Structures are given as C-alpha cells and as structure tokens.
Amino acid sequence: NAGVTQTPKFQVLKTGQSMTLQCAQDMNHEYMSWYRQDPGMGLRLIHYSVGAGITDQGEVPNGYNVSRSTTEDFPLRLLSAAPSQTSVYFCASSYSEIGRGNTEAFFGQGTRLTVV
Amino acid sequence: GESVGLHLPTLSVQEGDNSIINCAYSNSASDYFIWYKQESGKGPQFIIDIRSNMDKRQGQRVTVLLNKTVKHLSLQIAATQPGDSAVYFCAEYSKDSSYKLIFGSGTRLLVRP
C-alpha cells in the first residue's frame, strides 16, 4: 500500500526555472492538498482539491498552479521559481473533507526544494 | 505571527515520564482539532483528533484536552518512549475556512534515555 507518493524528494532550481512536483495517491481519496513547510511557520496550505476537475486556492497560492485531471494525481507547478519558494513541500490526501467525521489526512514524504 | 524562526519550542523529558505539549489557537469558531507527529525527514502523521463539543479524548498512550474558554489544546503522552521524539503540531479546522487545516508552528519533543 503506497499511500501518498511525492516525487522528486530533492530538487535544486535556478531562479526563473519552472518545474512540476508530482503527487499521487492510491487510496481513492477525493480530497488532496499541497502545503509548504518553512522553519517556524508550521505548514501552510497552497492549493487544494475536493475532487477531479475541482481546485481552489489556499493561504499562499501565488506562484503556484495545480490541476486535478484524475482522482489519483495532483501535481503542483512552479511557474517561475523564486528563492522565496525554497521550502519543503508536502502533499496530503483524505477520504473526505477534513473535519467531517473521523477523517485522517495522509501526508507524503515531502519534496525539499531549493531555489538559487 | 507565531514564528520562532529556526528555534522551535523544545520539551525535554526523561524516558518513562509523561509529556504534555501545549497549543494555543486563535479562532474561536474552530470546531475540529488534530495533533500530528513529524519525525525528521518525514511527513506529518495523524495522532489524535477532537471535536469542539468534547473536552477530552483518549487514544493509545495519548490524551488530548480541549479548553475552549481559553482556546487551549494539549497533548499528553503517557510513559514517553524514545520513539516519541519528534516535532508535534496542532492543527485547527473551522467550517468558515472550508477545507483549510491551519497548523501551529510546532513543538519539538526530546526524550532522554
């Protein structure tokens, strides 16, 4: 049971480059989200999706795009990387809306991104 | 903001002792709270949750207490073990911030052998 799989685990980008962080889950979860984790800031929500074809913005969406063409995949795209986007990125999924019933969010292992 | 830079609040306990990790939340409308454990190099892992209509919830070796009057949440770990060493985050959720789980900045737990 793979759970939530993120790739790559590490990435170094130059300022202005673009790239896509991949996230896939095999639990048939409807809800998926992307967070970034910076020292002392906890995790902050970037974008989320409540199902295939539906996405919305979180707390810190600027500079990122997402799409949800399938239930399994939720890629995060950096359009033009900036040093301020240096962070650890986590993808999460859950069966239903967090807060409704006993809903556990499963997190991937994270992608450590450095923008130079 | 809640930032403490690179220096997370740290709780150091002796193996076998009980640990209490505290969290203050700001949104009185939050109706669901979760504690996560994050080990080095890994993603957050669900520990226990509690709804706002409850004051206490117990799991295996863990208890979460909720005091809505002072907007305070605590995680108690009984008989702390070396494997409990990690960073612990509380997270809050409210219906008026649909689908948005808001995380605190975390507390590092160090267990001394």
Side-chain angles (χ1 to χ4, degrees):
Chain A
N1 188 358
V4 180
T5 303
Q6 288 183 236
T7 56
K9 291 185 179 180
F10 301 94
Q11 182 70 52
V12 178
L13 289 178
K14 293 183 179 179
T15 298
Q17 285 185 313
S18 62
M19 79 159 293
T20 299
L21 279 62
Q22 302 292 341
C23 176
Q25 52 89 11
D26 61 358
M27 297 173 282
N28 201 31
H29 285 172
E30 289 293 328
Y31 294 74
M32 297 186 73
S33 52
W34 276 101
Y35 291 85
R36 60 177 288 172
Q37 184 174 33
D38 303 301
M41 298 293 288
L43 283 81
R44 291 182 293 169
L45 182 64
I46 305 172
H47 285 285
Y48 63 94
S49 169
V50 301
I54 306 170
T55 64
D56 209 340
Q57 296 181 347
E59 301 172 75
V60 288
N62 293 340
Y64 308 94
N65 274 354
V66 291
S67 60
R68 186 91 182 272
S69 56
T70 66
T71 299
E72 294 77 22
D73 301 296
F74 190 43
L76 177 72
R77 282 184 289 278
L78 279 71
L79 308 173
S80 178
S84 61
Q85 293 180 303
T86 294
S87 187
V88 181
Y89 291 84
F90 288 99
C91 177
S93 75
S94 60
Y95 179 73
S96 63
E97 172 188 341
I98 292 174
R100 176 176 296 175
N102 295 320
T103 302
E104 179 177 348
F106 294 85
F107 285 81
Q109 294 287 302
T111 295
R112 185 173 296 275
L113 175 69
T114 302
V115 182
V116 297
Chain B
E2 73 280 29
S3 173
V4 290
L6 291 171
H7 306 289
L8 286 172
T10 299
L11 175 65
S12 180
V13 300
Q14 190 74 37
E15 181 179 356
D17 287 351
N18 296 336
S19 303
I20 300 176
I21 300 171
N22 297 306
C23 177
Y25 64 94
S26 56
N27 186 358
S28 58
S30 291
D31 52 15
Y32 181 61
F33 304 87
I34 309 174
W35 279 101
Y36 286 93
K37 173 186 180 183
Q38 187 176 24
E39 296 174 278
S40 180
K42 297 184 178 180
Q45 180 181 11
F46 175 94
I47 302 174
I48 192 168
D49 60 358
I50 188 169
R51 295 205 167 276
S52 60
N53 61 355
M54 302 172 68
D55 297 322
K56 178 179 179 180
R57 191 166 188 218
Q58 288 184 296
Q60 187 177 14
R61 276 202 312 120
V62 295
T63 300
V64 56
L65 298 177
L66 176 62
N67 186 331
K68 295 181 287 295
T69 301
V70 295
K71 291 187 283 189
H72 183 268
L73 193 67
S74 68
L75 177 70
Q76 300 179 359
I77 304 173
T80 312
Q81 302 169 359
D84 295 327
S85 292
V87 177
Y88 290 81
F89 294 95
C90 66
E92 61 183 295
Y93 169 92
S94 65
K95 291 179 181 178
D96 61 4
S97 64
S98 301
Y99 311 114
K100 297 176 184 176
L101 199 60
I102 307 300
F103 284 80
S105 56
T107 297
R108 186 182 307 279
L109 176 65
L110 295 176
V111 182
R112 304 189 304 273

